[in-house]
Amino acid sequence: MATTHANTAALIYDWNEKERTGPLLRRAPRFVDESIRDGIQSPSVRDPSIEQKMELVRLMDRMGVQAVNLGLPGAGRRAQEDVERLLRFIVEEKLRITANCAARTVASDIHPIIDISQKVGVPIEVMTFIGSSPIRGYTEGWDNERLKKHTHEAVKLGVDHGLPVGFVTEDTTRSHPKTLDVLFRTALEAGAGRLVLCDTCGHATPDGLRNLLNFARGVLRSMDLEDTVELDWHGHNDRGMALVLGLYAFEWGFHRVHGCGLGIGERVGNCSLDLLLLNLFLLGQLDPKQHDLSCLVEYVEKISEATGVPIHPSYPLSGRDAFRTATGVHAAAIIKATKTGDHDLADRVYSAVPARVFGRKQEIEIGHYSGRSNVIFWLREHGYEPSDELVDKVFAFAKAQDHTLTTEEVKAAIAG
C-alpha cells in the first residue's frame, strides 16, 4: 500500500508572511562573493592556494553568484599573478561569474587592474575605496578636499581606460552626510556606475541601513541617476547583524549584497554569503534555474578547508549539529515522522531547514537527555536488534554520562 505523505507546508503556520504588503524583493537578488579578498583578510585564515581559489570560484558560479572579488592587485606581484590566473580561469571555463578587484583611490592600485584586464581581454570592475568617516579622517589627517581629489582621480582613471568603476566609501555607516554628498557626487560626475555603501565596522542597525539607503537614493535622484547607477551593500558582523542587514538590503532595494562563505573576514567577519543564499532560497526568492544550491554545503566545507577556519558545530546548515539531536522529545518526534516514510515531514518537524535538499539528513544520537526511543532508533540504524535487555543497558549507560555518546562509546556499552 502506498504511503500517504502530508502536505508539510499546510502544517506550518508562517508568521513571516503575515501583513506583507508587497513582494519581498524589488528585483532578483545579485551577490558579490568577497571570500578570496575580504575573507582572507581575517587574521586567522590561511591564504588558499590558487587551485583552491579556482575551485571556490567554480562553486560560486554554480550557485549563481554573479560577481567575485578576485583580490587587491595593488598588494604586490603575488596578488597580481593570482588575479590574472583566476581571470583567465573564468574565461577558459566559460563561467558566468564576472570579476571585480579592490583598489585604494591611488593610481598605483588601479594600474595593475587595468593591465590585467588588457592582458586577458576581459573587463574587471574597479572597486576603488576610500575612508569617509570623520573618525578615520581625524586619525589620518585627511580633509574633504583631499578625499574629493583622490576620488575624482581614481574613478576617472578607471573610466578613462574603459573599465566599470564602483565607488566604495569605507565606514559609510559612520560618515557625515555632508562628506558623503561631496564624495558621491564627485565619483558619479567622474563616471562611477555604482556606489558601494559599507558597514566596515559592523556599526549599522536596520534603522541605520534604511536611513543611509534613503540618503544615497536622494543624491542619485537629485542627479537624475536613480535609474542608471546601482547600489551595493557591504556589511560586517561586529554586532552580529550582518545577515539580517543583508536580507533587509535586498528587501529595501539594494541591487547587490556582498558576503563571504562561512562569514569569514576582518575581525568577526562579513555577512555570511551561504546563509544569505539559504535564507533567500527558503523565502522562495531564488530562481532554481539560476542558482544550484545543491553544492552549498560543499562550498562552505571548501571555504573551511582552504582557509583553515573550522565550521562551528552549531553553524546553520553546514555545522555538525545542524540536524543532529540527542534530546528525547525532539528525537521522538523525528523518529515518528521518519516512520511515516515522509522525508519532508521528518526534515521539518523539528527544523526550519530541509536537510535533504542540501544533501544532509536528520541524525538521532544517544545522550543523557535521550529517551528510550533514541536508543531503539540508533540500534536499528546501526544493525543491532533492540531487545529490551540491550536497550536498558545502553539507556542506563547514557544516563550516567554528561555528554552525547560517540559511536565508539555506544558500541563499547553494547559489548560491555
Side-chain angles (χ1 to χ4, degrees):
M1 186 173 66
T3 302
T4 302
H5 288 183
N7 179 358
T8 307
L11 298 175
I12 297 172
Y13 189 85
D14 194 353
W15 284 96
N16 296 333
E17 295 300 320
K18 300 305 162 187
E19 298 187 20
R20 187 175 296 288
T21 56
L24 178 59
L25 305 185
R26 301 184 181 203
R27 58 181 67 85
R30 289 186 283 142
F31 309 89
V32 179
D33 196 315
E34 293 268 3
S35 300
I36 56 178
R37 199 279 301 177
D38 202 348
I40 62 175
Q41 289 178 203
S42 164
S44 293
V45 309
R46 179 176 59 245
D47 187 14
S49 68
I50 189 65
E51 291 77 19
Q52 288 173 318
K53 290 178 181 179
M54 289 176 179
E55 189 172 23
L56 289 172
V57 171
R58 188 183 289 117
L59 287 171
M60 294 171 196
D61 183 74
R62 181 175 163 188
M63 295 188 303
V65 173
Q66 289 82 5
V68 55
N69 192 315
L70 296 181
L72 202 163
R77 181 173 297 279
R78 179 181 173 188
Q80 292 166 21
E81 290 174 349
D82 275 10
V83 169
E84 182 176 342
R85 289 187 67 185
L86 288 169
L87 188 61
R88 292 189 185 279
F89 167 77
I90 289 171
V91 174
E92 290 164 2
E93 295 229 343
K94 296 181 173 62
L95 303 182
R96 298 171 297 169
I97 200 166
T98 61
N100 60 56
C101 284
R104 294 169 298 171
T105 49
V106 293
S108 59
D109 272 17
I110 297 172
H111 277 300
I113 301 175
I114 296 168
D115 292 342
I116 294 169
S117 177
Q118 291 176 345
K119 282 182 185 177
V120 182
V122 174
I124 302 173
E125 185 176 18
V126 178
M127 305 294 268
T128 186
F129 61 88
I130 194 165
S132 56
S133 60
I135 191 171
R136 179 73 185 284
Y138 177 81
T139 302
E140 302 281 0
W142 296 338
D143 58 29
N144 279 2
E145 282 305 311
R146 175 172 177 166
L147 299 180
K148 181 178 178 180
K149 179 176 182 293
H150 278 277
T151 296
H152 173 79
E153 291 176 352
V155 173
K156 189 172 186 301
L157 178 59
V159 170
D160 285 350
H161 283 82
L163 296 182
V165 177
F167 178 59
V168 184
T169 42
E170 276 193 311
D171 210 7
T172 325
T173 57
R174 301 194 300 175
S175 297
H176 197 283
K178 288 183 179 179
T179 302
L180 293 177
D181 185 79
V182 169
L183 296 183
F184 287 172
R185 291 178 186 275
T186 299
L188 295 168
E189 288 168 357
R194 181 184 312 281
L195 297 179
V196 183
L197 310 186
C198 291
D199 193 19
T200 305
C201 296
H203 170 76
T205 66
D207 286 335
L209 172 65
R210 185 178 58 248
N211 292 336
L212 184 59
L213 173 60
N214 289 338
F215 171 80
R217 278 187 177 145
V219 174
L220 294 179
R221 192 176 301 118
S222 72
M223 299 179 70
D224 197 25
L225 293 174
E226 196 174 14
D227 296 327
T228 56
V229 172
E230 295 195 346
L231 295 172
D232 281 16
W233 173 252
H234 179 105
H236 283 254
N237 201 38
D238 296 69
R239 291 191 179 188
M241 300 183 73
L243 175 59
V244 171
L245 291 175
L247 292 168
Y248 273 128
F250 276 133
E251 183 169 354
W252 292 341
F254 278 89
H255 296 79
R256 304 193 308 190
V257 172
H258 301 201
C260 294
L262 195 53
I264 60 175
E266 290 274 7
R267 300 178 312 281
V268 300
N270 293 51
C271 174
S272 176
L273 183 64
D274 48 290
L275 298 186
L276 193 60
L277 287 163
L278 171 64
N279 276 277
L280 289 167
F281 168 83
L282 294 173
L283 289 166
Q285 300 300 308
L286 296 183
D287 181 351
K289 295 179 181 178
Q290 300 297 321
H291 301 276
D292 176 7
L293 298 192
S294 63
C295 62
L296 192 53
V297 173
E298 179 187 0
Y299 165 75
V300 176
E301 292 173 343
K302 294 294 185 183
I303 289 281
S304 175
E305 178 185 336
T307 63
V309 176
I311 302 172
H312 193 280
S314 60
Y315 189 77
L317 180 62
S318 302
R320 174 72 179 90
D321 292 347
F323 305 104
R324 181 171 173 247
T325 185
T327 306
V329 174
H330 292 210
I334 294 170
I335 291 167
K336 289 173 184 176
T338 301
K339 286 180 178 178
T340 69
D342 189 339
H343 296 308
D344 189 44
L345 182 65
D347 261 355
R348 290 304 189 95
V349 68
Y350 255 110
S351 177
V353 179
R356 288 178 180 269
V357 170
F358 302 98
R360 299 291 305 272
K361 66 176 184 177
Q362 303 295 328
E363 298 178 59
I364 306 299
E365 305 285 7
I366 303 171
H368 58 293
Y369 272 126
S370 295
R372 289 176 61 84
S373 60
N374 294 58
V375 179
I376 294 169
F377 184 87
W378 192 99
L379 291 171
R380 283 178 174 156
E381 284 286 295
H382 291 80
Y384 295 93
E385 178 60 35
S387 65
D388 289 343
E389 180 183 359
L390 183 56
V391 172
D392 289 343
K393 183 179 181 181
V394 175
F395 187 63
F397 177 76
K399 288 298 183 181
Q401 309 305 310
D402 62 358
H403 60 279
T404 299
L405 304 182
T406 64
T407 299
E408 291 71 24
E409 286 176 314
V410 179
K411 289 182 177 180
I414 293 170

